[in-house]
PDB file of all heavy atoms in Angstrom:
ATOM      1  N   SER A 269      88.523  49.431  59.251  1.00 90.00           N
ATOM      2  CA  SER A 269      89.439  50.520  59.342  1.00 90.00           C
ATOM      3  C   SER A 269      89.250  51.493  58.195  1.00 90.00           C
ATOM      4  O   SER A 269      89.412  52.706  58.389  1.00 90.00           O
ATOM      5  CB  SER A 269      90.904  49.828  59.169  1.00 90.00           C
ATOM      6  OG  SER A 269      91.160  48.904  60.178  1.00 90.00           O
ATOM      7  N   THR A 272      86.378  53.882  59.064  1.00 88.00           N
ATOM      8  CA  THR A 272      86.827  54.682  60.299  1.00 88.00           C
ATOM      9  C   THR A 272      87.697  55.892  59.766  1.00 88.00           C
ATOM     10  O   THR A 272      87.500  56.931  60.176  1.00 88.00           O
ATOM     11  CB  THR A 272      87.706  53.895  61.246  1.00 88.00           C
ATOM     12  OG1 THR A 272      86.790  52.777  61.797  1.00 88.00           O
ATOM     13  CG2 THR A 272      88.063  54.685  62.407  1.00 88.00           C
ATOM     14  N   PHE A 273      88.670  55.335  58.806  1.00 86.00           N
ATOM     15  CA  PHE A 273      89.457  56.554  58.210  1.00 86.00           C
ATOM     16  C   PHE A 273      88.683  57.560  57.357  1.00 86.00           C
ATOM     17  O   PHE A 273      88.852  58.734  57.515  1.00 86.00           O
ATOM     18  CB  PHE A 273      90.633  55.873  57.488  1.00 86.00           C
ATOM     19  CG  PHE A 273      91.602  56.975  56.996  1.00 86.00           C
ATOM     20  CD1 PHE A 273      92.382  57.703  57.684  1.00 86.00           C
ATOM     21  CD2 PHE A 273      91.647  57.069  55.586  1.00 86.00           C
ATOM     22  CE1 PHE A 273      93.221  58.662  57.261  1.00 86.00           C
ATOM     23  CE2 PHE A 273      92.592  58.058  55.121  1.00 86.00           C
ATOM     24  CZ  PHE A 273      93.384  58.721  55.968  1.00 86.00           C
ATOM     25  N   TYR A 276      86.878  59.912  59.437  1.00 84.00           N
ATOM     26  CA  TYR A 276      87.749  60.905  60.071  1.00 84.00           C
ATOM     27  C   TYR A 276      87.970  62.003  59.080  1.00 84.00           C
ATOM     28  O   TYR A 276      87.978  63.257  59.341  1.00 84.00           O
ATOM     29  CB  TYR A 276      89.047  60.286  60.392  1.00 84.00           C
ATOM     30  CG  TYR A 276      90.192  61.335  60.811  1.00 84.00           C
ATOM     31  CD1 TYR A 276      90.233  61.900  62.066  1.00 84.00           C
ATOM     32  CD2 TYR A 276      91.109  61.788  59.833  1.00 84.00           C
ATOM     33  CE1 TYR A 276      91.098  62.887  62.356  1.00 84.00           C
ATOM     34  CE2 TYR A 276      91.931  62.800  60.152  1.00 84.00           C
ATOM     35  CZ  TYR A 276      92.024  63.323  61.501  1.00 84.00           C
ATOM     36  OH  TYR A 276      92.884  64.244  61.729  1.00 84.00           O
ATOM     37  N   VAL A 292      99.762  65.088  60.244  1.00 81.00           N
ATOM     38  CA  VAL A 292     100.019  64.452  61.503  1.00 81.00           C
ATOM     39  C   VAL A 292      98.836  63.729  62.001  1.00 81.00           C
ATOM     40  O   VAL A 292      98.894  62.526  62.462  1.00 81.00           O
ATOM     41  CB  VAL A 292     100.582  65.395  62.410  1.00 81.00           C
ATOM     42  CG1 VAL A 292     100.684  64.772  63.998  1.00 81.00           C
ATOM     43  CG2 VAL A 292     101.848  65.949  62.100  1.00 81.00           C
ATOM     44  N   SER A 293      97.729  64.378  61.983  1.00 85.00           N
ATOM     45  CA  SER A 293      96.451  63.853  62.662  1.00 85.00           C
ATOM     46  C   SER A 293      95.893  62.766  61.883  1.00 85.00           C
ATOM     47  O   SER A 293      95.427  61.659  62.325  1.00 85.00           O
ATOM     48  CB  SER A 293      95.413  64.872  62.927  1.00 85.00           C
ATOM     49  OG  SER A 293      95.082  65.536  61.637  1.00 85.00           O
ATOM     50  N   ALA A 294      96.075  62.826  60.414  1.00 82.00           N
ATOM     51  CA  ALA A 294      95.588  61.800  59.583  1.00 82.00           C
ATOM     52  C   ALA A 294      96.443  60.530  59.671  1.00 82.00           C
ATOM     53  O   ALA A 294      95.890  59.414  59.677  1.00 82.00           O
ATOM     54  CB  ALA A 294      95.600  62.236  58.183  1.00 82.00           C
ATOM     55  N   THR A 295      97.828  60.685  59.871  1.00 83.00           N
ATOM     56  CA  THR A 295      98.683  59.426  60.157  1.00 83.00           C
ATOM     57  C   THR A 295      98.262  58.797  61.520  1.00 83.00           C
ATOM     58  O   THR A 295      98.127  57.583  61.498  1.00 83.00           O
ATOM     59  CB  THR A 295     100.052  59.959  60.234  1.00 83.00           C
ATOM     60  OG1 THR A 295     100.394  60.651  58.932  1.00 83.00           O
ATOM     61  CG2 THR A 295     101.097  58.785  60.442  1.00 83.00           C
ATOM     62  N   LEU A 296      98.058  59.650  62.545  1.00 87.00           N
ATOM     63  CA  LEU A 296      97.681  59.011  63.813  1.00 87.00           C
ATOM     64  C   LEU A 296      96.184  58.370  63.621  1.00 87.00           C
ATOM     65  O   LEU A 296      96.095  57.251  64.261  1.00 87.00           O
ATOM     66  CB  LEU A 296      97.524  60.098  64.796  1.00 87.00           C
ATOM     67  CG  LEU A 296      98.827  60.669  65.335  1.00 87.00           C
ATOM     68  CD1 LEU A 296      98.526  61.976  66.290  1.00 87.00           C
ATOM     69  CD2 LEU A 296      99.693  59.730  65.961  1.00 87.00           C
ATOM     70  N   ALA A 297      95.357  58.913  62.823  1.00 86.00           N
ATOM     71  CA  ALA A 297      94.002  58.294  62.693  1.00 86.00           C
ATOM     72  C   ALA A 297      94.107  56.996  62.004  1.00 86.00           C
ATOM     73  O   ALA A 297      93.473  56.019  62.434  1.00 86.00           O
ATOM     74  CB  ALA A 297      93.109  59.276  61.999  1.00 86.00           C
ATOM     75  N   ILE A 298      94.853  56.916  60.925  1.00 86.00           N
ATOM     76  CA  ILE A 298      95.012  55.727  60.173  1.00 86.00           C
ATOM     77  C   ILE A 298      95.771  54.490  61.014  1.00 86.00           C
ATOM     78  O   ILE A 298      95.310  53.499  60.889  1.00 86.00           O
ATOM     79  CB  ILE A 298      95.671  55.913  58.856  1.00 86.00           C
ATOM     80  CG1 ILE A 298      95.588  54.743  57.852  1.00 86.00           C
ATOM     81  CG2 ILE A 298      97.130  56.242  58.969  1.00 86.00           C
ATOM     82  CD1 ILE A 298      94.218  54.329  57.547  1.00 86.00           C
ATOM     83  N   THR A 299      96.659  55.055  61.777  1.00 88.00           N
ATOM     84  CA  THR A 299      97.413  54.134  62.564  1.00 88.00           C
ATOM     85  C   THR A 299      96.480  53.463  63.656  1.00 88.00           C
ATOM     86  O   THR A 299      96.427  52.295  63.855  1.00 88.00           O
ATOM     87  CB  THR A 299      98.645  54.704  63.300  1.00 88.00           C
ATOM     88  OG1 THR A 299      99.460  55.312  62.318  1.00 88.00           O
ATOM     89  CG2 THR A 299      99.430  53.719  64.113  1.00 88.00           C
ATOM     90  N   LYS A 300      95.615  54.387  64.261  1.00 89.00           N
ATOM     91  CA  LYS A 300      94.700  53.995  65.308  1.00 89.00           C
ATOM     92  C   LYS A 300      93.707  53.064  64.714  1.00 89.00           C
ATOM     93  O   LYS A 300      93.279  52.124  65.469  1.00 89.00           O
ATOM     94  CB  LYS A 300      94.078  55.284  65.984  1.00 89.00           C
ATOM     95  CG  LYS A 300      93.242  54.963  67.105  1.00 89.00           C
ATOM     96  CD  LYS A 300      92.677  56.094  67.752  1.00 89.00           C
ATOM     97  CE  LYS A 300      91.714  55.866  68.986  1.00 89.00           C
ATOM     98  NZ  LYS A 300      91.232  57.096  69.548  1.00 89.00           N
ATOM     99  N   SER A 301      93.228  53.323  63.641  1.00 89.00           N
ATOM    100  CA  SER A 301      92.039  52.446  63.000  1.00 89.00           C
ATOM    101  C   SER A 301      92.618  51.110  62.480  1.00 89.00           C
ATOM    102  O   SER A 301      91.777  50.163  62.573  1.00 89.00           O
ATOM    103  CB  SER A 301      91.473  53.209  61.875  1.00 89.00           C
ATOM    104  OG  SER A 301      92.303  53.275  60.773  1.00 89.00           O
ATOM    105  N   LEU A 302      93.904  51.039  62.175  1.00 90.00           N
ATOM    106  CA  LEU A 302      94.424  49.785  61.708  1.00 90.00           C
ATOM    107  C   LEU A 302      95.048  48.815  62.762  1.00 90.00           C
ATOM    108  O   LEU A 302      94.695  47.709  62.739  1.00 90.00           O
ATOM    109  CB  LEU A 302      95.568  50.069  60.686  1.00 90.00           C
ATOM    110  CG  LEU A 302      95.138  50.468  59.144  1.00 90.00           C
ATOM    111  CD1 LEU A 302      96.402  50.931  58.598  1.00 90.00           C
ATOM    112  CD2 LEU A 302      94.536  49.291  58.648  1.00 90.00           C
TER     113      LEU A 302
END
Side-chain angles (χ1 to χ4, degrees):
S269 296
T272 300
F273 183 66
Y276 173 84
V292 171
S293 59
T295 301
L296 291 174
I298 189 66
T299 302
K300 186 177 179 181
S301 70
L302 279 172

